[in-house]
Amino acid sequence: MEQTFIMIKPDGVQRGLVGEIISRFEKKGFYLKAMKLITVNKSFAEKHYEDLSSRPFFPALVNYIISGPVVAMVWEGKNVVSTGRKIIGATNPADSAPGTIRGDYAIVMGRNIIHGSDSVENARKEIALWFPEGISEFKSSLHPWIYE
Ligand code: UDP
Ligand code: MG
């Protein structure tokens, strides 16, 4: 089954949106497979966002991510990478549809509350970066009520 890496950024944590965000993924039927509250350093944040290192907003993005604790999570389910991105909404909250997390709770790109992997391959890389200790086995007893 597919997995994705989801991170509630420091603004989402500070604004008390952790429960609300987790709830949206839970209620959809995705399984929470790993989670930790962690403050990362500059080199770690640069590694996570290395594909964006040449972009003008990169230094501000790194400073934003290291500005406080984040909630790092692994969620699992059918098509969870692309569906997770839909739940999150467009990168720029000005374009995120109401009903998405960014559409409901954010206004500007540099404070857009949440990260989600953009491909299965990047999800695999990000999960390995954020959870080098591995992910414990757990099978939800709800499975037959969510999948046919
Ligand atoms: N970002 C920004 N300005 C931009 C583009 C992106 O501040 O012009 C930030 C924003 O927080 C975004 C993150 O950089 O979530 C990573 O950018 P990406 O294009 O990967 O967007 P995402 O995958 O998060 O939607
Ligand atoms: Mg991205």
Side-chain angles (χ1 to χ4, degrees):
M1 187 115 52
E2 193 170 294
Q3 294 184 335
T4 194
F5 174 69
I6 300 290
M7 171 189 38
I8 305 173
K9 296 175 177 178
D11 49 337
V13 174
Q14 292 287 350
R15 291 179 53 197
L17 295 171
V18 170
E20 170 64 31
I21 289 168
I22 290 175
S23 191
R24 291 185 179 209
F25 282 85
E26 273 185 324
K27 287 174 182 166
K28 174 71 176 170
F30 292 135
Y31 304 143
L32 181 60
K33 300 294 296 229
M35 177 167 74
K36 61 186 170 190
L37 183 75
I38 175 176
T39 306
V40 297
N41 63 26
K42 189 159 177 271
S43 64
F44 190 95
E46 286 171 347
K47 175 92 185 129
H48 171 74
Y49 279 123
E50 65 183 357
D51 294 352
L52 301 172
S53 61
S54 64
R55 307 293 289 276
F57 58 84
F58 184 71
L61 173 60
V62 168
N63 282 331
Y64 166 37
I65 295 307
I66 67 173
S67 64
V70 301
V71 176
M73 297 176 280
V74 177
W75 287 88
E76 186 178 273
K78 188 168 192 283
N79 296 323
V80 69
V81 171
S82 66
T83 304
R85 297 274 296 184
K86 288 179 192 156
I87 291 170
I88 289 170
T91 303
N92 187 344
D95 303 324
S96 318
T100 65
I101 292 167
R102 288 169 174 165
D104 287 350
Y105 300 120
I107 297 176
V108 298
M109 258 193 298
R111 296 290 184 270
N112 64 357
I113 287 181
I114 181 165
H115 165 85
S117 307
D118 62 5
S119 67
V120 173
E121 172 61 14
N122 281 336
R124 195 191 54 71
K125 280 192 212 160
E126 290 169 5
I127 291 167
L129 175 68
W130 286 82
F131 292 93
E133 67 273 30
I135 290 160
S136 54
E137 266 317 305
F138 144 75
K139 179 101 177 131
S140 172
S141 58
L142 290 179
H143 203 80
W145 299 106
I146 295 168
Y147 295 93
E148 62 174 18

